[in-house]
Amino acid sequence: MNWYQLDVKDVEKKLHVTVNRGLTDKQVEKRQKQYGVNALEAQKKVPKWLIFLKQFQDFMVLILLAATLVAGLLGEYIDAIAIMVIVLVNGFIGFFQEQKAEKSLDKLKELSAPMAYVLRNKKWERIPSKDVVVGDVVRITSGDRIPADIRIVKSDSLETEESALTGESLPVMKHAAAIHRDHLDAQDQINMGFMSTLVTRGSGIGIVVGTGMQTVMGQIASLMANTKKVMTPLERKLAELGKILIVVALLLTALVVVLGVVQGQPLYTMFLAGVSLAVAAIPEGLPAIVTVALSLGVQRMIRKKAIVRKLSAVETLGCASVICSDKTGTMTQNKMTVKEVFINGKHLYVTGDGYELNGDYFLDKQKVDHRYSNLESMLLYGMLCNHASIVVKKGKHAIEGNPTDGALLIAARKFGLTIVNAEPYKIIKEFPFDSVRKRMSVVVEDVNQRRFLITKGAPEILLPRSTYVMDEQGRQLLKANQQKMIEQAINSMAEKALRTLAIAIKPLTKQDDLQSSILEKDLTFIGVYGMIDPPRKEVKGAIKECRSAGIKTVMITGDHAKTARAIAINLDLMPEDGQVLEGSQINNMSQQELEDVIENIYVFARVTPEHKLRIVHAFQEQGHVVAMTGDGVNDAPAIKASNIGVSMGISGTDVTKEASSLILMDDNFATIKAAIEEGRTIYENIRKFIRYLLASNVGEILVMLFAMLLSLPLPLVPVQILWVNLVTDGLPAMALGMDKAEGEVMKKRPRSLKEGVFSRGLGYKIISRGIVIGIVTLVAFMVTYQANPDHLAYARTVAFTTLVLAQLIHVFDCRSEQSIFSRNPFENMYLVLAVLSSLFLLLIVVYWQPLQPVFHTVSLSLRDWMLIFGLGALPTVLFGFTKK
Ligand code: ATP
């Protein structure tokens, strides 16, 4: 169907919908069944059995399996089966971990899925884009990804960027008229909007004509090429480190095997022991556990209303040293109330709080009414040049749409103006607001078909465009002294933390060309609104906490410098003499000059998104790790360039969300702080289990190596080695990943992005603990063996239990950078439970008779346990005292 050739009326008829009403629930239900979900077919999922098999693809595991098979063929059935079972259980654990990580990532995807604004049953509602059906009436505004293929029925300066589809990156102007030509390519169908393309300017309404795979995008198969999983820096580092550790572990294992053989141990026994040791000691699972820890952290962040889009952000968050945050809505409530109006050269004060509809206008304590010149017109203009509506939610008045616009509606209502007053006027054209233009205009026609332009926007933008001013005597030429007086009025409002917005008009004739650049000049200045937007309560505390965590908070706003300064001081974001830099000043600076001063700046005011990019770069050049927030379409480049791009869950556009690595579900600055805190904790926990796992592995290798060097028999048999690996590495390591932070994470300085995994003494801790664990295990073995030279299984059982116990005690040591004594071991009940369950499993393999031949164990006496416990606790207690 060539929808572009049809008139809107025909499209409506064909799809059984009207633009003013939208679809009914029944129609939606039927069409959902008929067309399915509106999504490009998801990539083929890797089947579960393949993920399971992948757990065994590791080279050493394959060798182990082969060696076990040989052992089985040679008649060592029990050993062979035991090893197989252990390897299988290990595989299952890996599989479940991977599934868990996958699930939490899927949940994340769902949470950050794009939304669409649709008209159904005459009501606009926000729904997940995947639920959009053919015939839906959708509204799109700049920053949106178009949710489906639509036929445009209304365009307000609508422009889209379709490079994903056509390769053309220049924006395309869209309009609603039918095009009566045949065989047009997508790029020439300028009354159509295509799924997944981007709205770069303006806004519009369209009727959905194709969804999911029936869209133009759906037909381009190449776009659905599998996206590869990207490793986080830490995962990459660990994967690289893993390669080195593999070589080291293999060399040491080979040494153990050679020494054993030289001393007359059978080659086959040594080979199996060597391979088992290699499997146990090679930390091949480390990157996977890191992924699990990161995704568990991600879930905790969701509970704190932060959605992480890229796992790498979890790590980077802990390094953030500067947060550049928007003011409106992020630091403030975005709940605007007009408190003052400057008109006819005088300040009027408005009573009433929040979105209450009751309130009055006062001039010098005298109530003013509609006889007060120009006020009623100004308030009416504010209503006409507006995109919001007043609604009732849960019995209270609320604003739907832009809060700045909403405040103007409430202000008008306080003066008795309602929608009825606006009805005689028709909006002919609109020039939408954006943060670069800092203004919005509409062309209005009254009942006598007289046209005029209403412009509202930042006063400093409107004043230079005004030639006239309205006062009690009517329209006057704007003189220099009047201009000065208006500027002073604006400053005095801004100093009181009021957000200022001016209104101006211009009479038009029917012949006037409706181009914004020509229209928005020679205006008649009417007046200025001053509105408050109270700070969010939690922000002041969050800024303070960030400061003590070595993180500087910087406010970036499109608002007036004085307004921004007043709010920043109120929030304790900057000292009274702190510096504010304005966008216009940045324009006059070279990048180097900006870098030179940037450390002293707390507030950037009247900036455009382009400045944001320069600010990010300047901070980065000073060695900072920058978190940058944004909501509008133009913020995407700065968000991308920053180290942690932060977008807004409620007010953010699709484009910024896609560019960001963190989404704030509640748009709240305090949530960034919470995410940083969580990010720091997760990183510390990852360090904890790296330390635990590697120290354990060092201990395991060393006990074997020392024994061979001392010409002793093998202190552990292959199943024992594999069992240690399985039981001590599994649950306790995971439980460390869920540990609480040690001390107050937000009292420390941010970590350097370049910091290596083993820095801050971690490498030393791993080696020193590993060596002592190896030694005590060997001592346990030697003491028992020397006393009972004929009872090797007994000595091995003692060595085995000592090794396990030493690791299970050492795991508590890993919770602290200082010493085991500095933390309460019962703080982390997961860990206590994990350790208890590992101990329980240990007792089973030692005492349960059917398992004794499998694990080559014998029952132990209380005296043995005293030795085992004493030696097992030694490494941890020793380092607990040395505190190093
Ligand atoms: P932040 O970047 O902290 O969110 P902001 O919301 O104040 O700051 P913008 O939305 O870019 O920044 O607004 C900048 C200025 O544009 C405002 O101070 C105001 O004067 C003007 N303005 C804001 N909203 C509108 C609107 N809907 N119509 C016309 N002008 C507006």
Side-chain angles (χ1 to χ4, degrees):
M1 175 78 66
N2 285 334
W3 295 102
Y4 68 89
Q5 293 178 327
L6 300 185
D7 285 322
V8 173
K9 282 269 160 288
D10 296 328
V11 178
E12 288 183 316
K13 227 184 265 162
K14 276 216 150 58
L15 296 175
H16 306 288
V17 66
T18 56
V19 175
N20 301 327
R21 178 166 216 297
L23 293 174
T24 61
D25 286 344
K26 249 205 192 126
Q27 283 177 306
V28 171
E29 205 178 304
K30 208 164 140 203
R31 290 177 195 205
Q32 257 162 359
K33 275 192 201 125
Q34 189 180 349
Y35 297 100
V37 283
N38 173 36
L40 298 181
E41 238 149 57
Q43 310 158 11
K44 277 228 165 82
K45 279 221 160 189
V46 184
K48 290 215 161 112
W49 60 267
L50 205 65
I51 299 178
F52 179 64
L53 275 191
K54 260 178 47 198
Q55 311 299 323
F56 306 99
Q57 70 179 10
D58 187 65
F59 179 62
M60 284 320 287
V61 173
L62 288 179
I63 294 199
L64 179 65
L65 287 176
T68 317
L69 200 69
V70 175
L73 291 177
L74 291 176
E76 307 258 357
Y77 302 123
I78 298 184
D79 269 358
I81 293 173
I83 292 177
M84 293 275 190
V85 170
I86 292 182
V87 171
L88 210 65
V89 173
N90 221 345
F92 266 114
I93 292 179
F95 171 73
F96 285 120
Q97 285 183 341
E98 204 162 296
Q99 291 288 299
K100 197 172 162 75
E102 183 107 330
K103 261 202 199 125
S104 77
L105 293 181
D106 277 352
K107 192 170 160 200
L108 271 185
K109 259 191 224 145
E110 232 168 70
L111 276 175
S112 55
M115 306 289 280
Y117 210 42
V118 299
L119 182 72
R120 287 179 180 174
N121 302 309
K122 279 194 173 168
K123 263 203 199 126
W124 285 104
E125 51 186 308
R126 206 166 264 290
I127 59 164
S129 296
K130 69 175 182 17
D131 296 337
V132 166
V133 295
V134 170
D136 259 327
V137 176
V138 297
R139 182 147 84 201
I140 47 176
T141 35
S142 72
D144 287 350
R145 282 238 179 254
I146 301 183
D149 282 1
I150 58 175
R151 169 69 169 81
I152 312 278
V153 298
K154 182 167 185 272
S155 158
D156 288 317
S157 311
L158 181 68
E159 284 180 19
T160 68
E161 194 258 298
E162 301 176 337
S163 62
L165 202 63
T166 59
E168 174 58 63
S169 60
L170 282 181
V172 191
M173 284 276 274
K174 295 283 174 177
H175 63 68
I179 310 168
H180 300 292
R181 279 165 55 200
D182 288 327
H183 311 301
L184 283 189
D185 286 338
Q187 65 222 58
D188 297 323
Q189 299 178 15
I190 52 173
N191 55 13
M192 295 283 294
F194 300 103
M195 182 183 201
S196 292
T197 59
L198 197 73
V199 183
T200 46
R201 251 199 89 199
S203 60
I205 292 178
I207 300 180
V208 174
V209 296
T211 58
M213 293 306 283
Q214 288 94 44
T215 58
V216 178
M217 198 59 110
Q219 287 152 15
I220 305 178
S222 65
L223 277 161
M224 290 175 297
N226 277 354
T227 39
K228 258 205 210 141
K229 178 187 179 291
V230 215
M231 278 198 182
T232 74
L234 185 63
E235 285 176 311
R236 208 174 321 117
K237 253 188 241 166
L238 285 176
E240 276 159 24
L241 176 85
K243 281 184 203 141
I244 302 171
L245 291 180
I246 288 175
V247 176
V248 175
L250 280 181
L251 283 178
L252 289 176
T253 310
L255 192 62
V256 170
V257 175
V258 170
L259 285 173
V261 173
V262 168
Q263 279 149 30
Q265 306 267 4
L267 177 66
Y268 146 75
T269 313
M270 283 315 296
F271 182 67
L272 196 57
V275 179
S276 304
L277 188 59
V279 168
I282 291 173
E284 78 288 335
L286 211 50
I289 304 194
V290 169
T291 313
V292 174
L294 288 175
S295 56
L296 283 177
V298 160
Q299 286 188 343
R300 283 200 298 271
M301 287 197 191
I302 292 176
R303 267 175 250 141
K304 295 185 175 168
K305 300 216 172 336
I307 302 176
V308 173
R309 289 193 62 252
K310 296 174 191 145
L311 270 193
S312 54
V314 181
E315 295 164 33
T316 331
L317 268 170
C319 307
S321 58
V322 171
I323 308 174
C324 299
S325 170
D326 281 340
K327 169 179 73 68
T328 311
T330 313
M331 292 187 165
T332 66
Q333 300 177 11
N334 212 358
K335 201 171 180 184
M336 318 264 176
T337 315
V338 174
K339 283 279 162 189
E340 244 180 272
V341 172
F342 180 74
I343 189 167
N344 304 337
K346 298 193 181 73
H347 287 271
L348 305 185
Y349 296 91
V350 192
T351 57
D353 285 327
Y355 295 148
E356 263 175 51
L357 301 186
N358 299 326
D360 292 300
Y361 287 74
F362 288 91
L363 173 64
D364 300 329
K365 297 195 180 147
Q366 276 280 309
K367 202 167 140 181
V368 297
D369 59 22
H370 61 271
R371 283 168 299 190
Y372 191 81
S373 17
N374 300 326
L375 181 58
E376 186 166 327
S377 314
M378 171 167 167
L379 296 174
L380 179 67
Y381 299 146
M383 280 175 74
L384 291 170
C385 185
N386 204 301
H387 248 310
S389 50
I390 302 176
V391 292
V392 179
K393 270 189 191 157
K394 294 183 192 151
K396 275 189 171 171
H397 286 107
I399 292 300
E400 195 140 289
N402 182 325
T404 305
D405 286 356
L408 305 191
L409 293 185
I410 302 265
R413 187 68 87 84
K414 286 178 180 168
F415 204 68
L417 296 178
T418 66
I419 299 179
V420 179
N421 302 80
E423 260 164 18
Y425 301 91
K426 210 163 89 192
I427 308 289
I428 298 187
K429 191 158 174 75
E430 178 184 326
F431 307 101
F433 170 78
D434 70 48
S435 48
V436 178
R437 285 168 28 89
K438 293 193 172 37
R439 61 183 185 274
M440 161 185 178
S441 300
V442 285
V443 177
V444 179
E445 197 174 83
D446 66 12
V447 275
N448 302 321
Q449 301 203 327
R450 273 187 314 227
R451 287 184 177 184
F452 59 103
L453 175 88
I454 308 172
T455 303
K456 74 178 204 296
E460 311 96 285
I461 304 277
L462 294 206
L463 206 50
R465 293 172 174 269
S466 300
T467 320
Y468 308 95
V469 61
M470 198 68 95
D471 67 15
E472 281 128 330
Q473 275 80 48
R475 193 168 89 150
Q476 316 283 336
L477 217 56
L478 177 67
K479 297 194 205 78
N481 62 336
Q482 273 167 314
Q483 181 153 346
K484 217 173 191 160
M485 188 175 66
I486 295 173
E487 280 164 2
Q488 274 167 359
I490 295 165
N491 279 341
S492 88
M493 285 190 200
E495 275 160 11
K496 286 186 260 176
L498 294 179
R499 179 179 171 86
T500 52
L501 187 81
I503 289 251
I505 56 160
K506 179 180 182 177
L508 300 175
T509 63
K510 280 220 156 154
Q511 286 70 44
D512 275 323
D513 184 355
L514 299 187
Q515 285 294 320
S516 69
S517 50
I518 334 173
L519 284 187
E520 291 170 333
K521 54 185 185 193
D522 289 330
L523 304 172
T524 304
F525 198 88
I526 308 281
V528 186
Y529 293 94
M531 42 189 109
I532 54 156
D533 176 17
R536 288 175 181 268
K537 276 195 244 42
E538 355 28 300
V539 170
K540 196 170 178 174
I543 292 176
K544 193 171 163 205
E545 268 189 70
C546 285
R547 191 175 306 125
S548 65
I551 306 164
K552 178 179 178 180
T553 307
V554 175
M555 178 190 283
I556 301 197
T557 177
D559 220 337
H560 195 285
K562 291 213 158 79
T563 313
R565 164 190 283 277
I567 294 177
I569 290 177
N570 186 322
L571 285 171
D572 265 350
L573 183 146
M574 72 168 182
E576 293 273 349
D577 56 353
Q579 283 188 43
V580 178
L581 199 65
E582 286 193 59
S584 53
Q585 291 172 291
I586 301 180
N587 287 342
N588 295 329
M589 286 175 150
S590 70
Q591 190 63 13
Q592 185 59 49
E593 283 166 333
L594 181 63
E595 283 166 26
D596 291 343
V597 297
I598 199 139
E599 296 279 8
N600 303 322
I601 312 290
Y602 293 85
V603 173
F604 294 89
R606 287 287 189 233
V607 293
T608 61
E610 184 196 321
H611 296 125
K612 282 189 167 183
L613 190 62
R614 289 187 60 189
I615 294 168
V616 168
H617 285 315
F619 272 122
Q620 284 173 333
E621 276 305 311
Q622 296 304 302
H624 283 290
V625 176
V626 187
M628 166 67 90
T629 72
D631 43 19
V633 55
N634 300 320
D635 289 337
I639 284 192
K640 248 189 209 153
S642 70
N643 303 79
I644 306 149
V646 185
S647 65
M648 304 298 146
I650 304 169
S651 63
T653 53
D654 293 345
V655 190
T656 37
K657 283 186 197 161
E658 282 164 25
S660 70
S661 42
L662 185 74
I663 304 178
L664 309 178
M665 279 154 95
D666 56 358
D667 291 13
N668 190 340
F669 175 84
T671 305
I672 308 178
K673 185 227 88 189
I676 290 182
E677 195 169 1
E678 198 58 62
R680 288 185 172 193
T681 308
I682 295 171
Y683 188 82
E684 288 309 313
N685 284 350
I686 290 176
R687 270 170 60 93
K688 288 176 196 167
F689 64 66
I690 290 178
R691 171 179 163 189
Y692 169 66
L693 289 178
L694 294 187
S696 301
N697 291 355
V698 170
E700 286 156 25
I701 295 188
L702 288 187
V703 65
M704 300 291 271
L705 186 64
F706 291 155
M708 294 304 101
L709 285 172
L710 295 175
S711 305
L712 292 168
L714 276 179
L716 299 166
V717 293
V719 267
Q720 291 171 342
I721 299 173
L722 292 170
W723 191 93
V724 174
N725 184 43
L726 177 72
V727 175
T728 57
D729 282 11
L731 284 181
M734 292 283 289
L736 273 183
M738 297 197 261
D739 206 18
K740 283 222 178 68
E742 182 180 23
E744 290 186 41
V745 265
M746 293 304 268
K747 289 262 157 74
K748 297 172 192 157
R749 293 201 59 75
R751 188 180 91 238
S752 154
L753 207 49
K754 293 192 201 101
E755 183 185 288
V757 186
F758 296 123
S759 62
R760 287 185 274 140
L762 200 77
Y764 164 77
K765 285 196 168 100
I766 291 170
I767 305 274
S768 58
R769 272 65 166 176
I771 291 177
V772 182
I773 290 174
I775 292 177
V776 293
T777 310
L778 188 74
V779 170
F781 177 72
M782 279 168 68
V783 171
T784 324
Y785 184 56
Q786 260 154 22
N788 311 274
D790 310 327
H791 203 358
L792 191 54
Y794 173 37
R796 279 182 175 152
T797 310
V798 173
F800 169 60
T801 359
T802 309
L803 180 63
V804 174
L805 213 67
Q807 295 192 3
L808 291 183
I809 296 174
H810 171 238
V811 74
F812 289 99
D813 188 18
C814 297
R815 293 182 62 224
S816 172
E817 297 271 334
Q818 278 110 41
S819 125
I820 185 168
F821 302 123
S822 59
R823 296 202 72 179
N824 173 3
F826 295 104
E827 223 177 12
N828 182 349
M829 281 318 279
Y830 295 114
L831 187 61
V832 174
L833 285 178
V835 167
L836 285 180
S837 56
S838 298
L839 274 179
F840 177 69
L841 293 174
L842 176 69
L843 293 180
I844 289 183
V845 293
V846 172
Y847 286 101
W848 195 35
Q849 273 176 357
L851 281 185
Q852 285 181 337
V854 179
F855 286 94
H856 305 261
T857 49
V858 297
S859 299
L860 299 173
S861 69
L862 193 63
R863 258 194 60 211
D864 298 326
W865 277 106
M866 282 161 65
L867 173 81
I868 292 165
F869 192 79
L871 286 172
L874 194 67
T876 301
V877 175
L878 189 74
F879 289 107
F881 285 118
T882 62
K883 291 191 178 173
K884 278 208 177 122

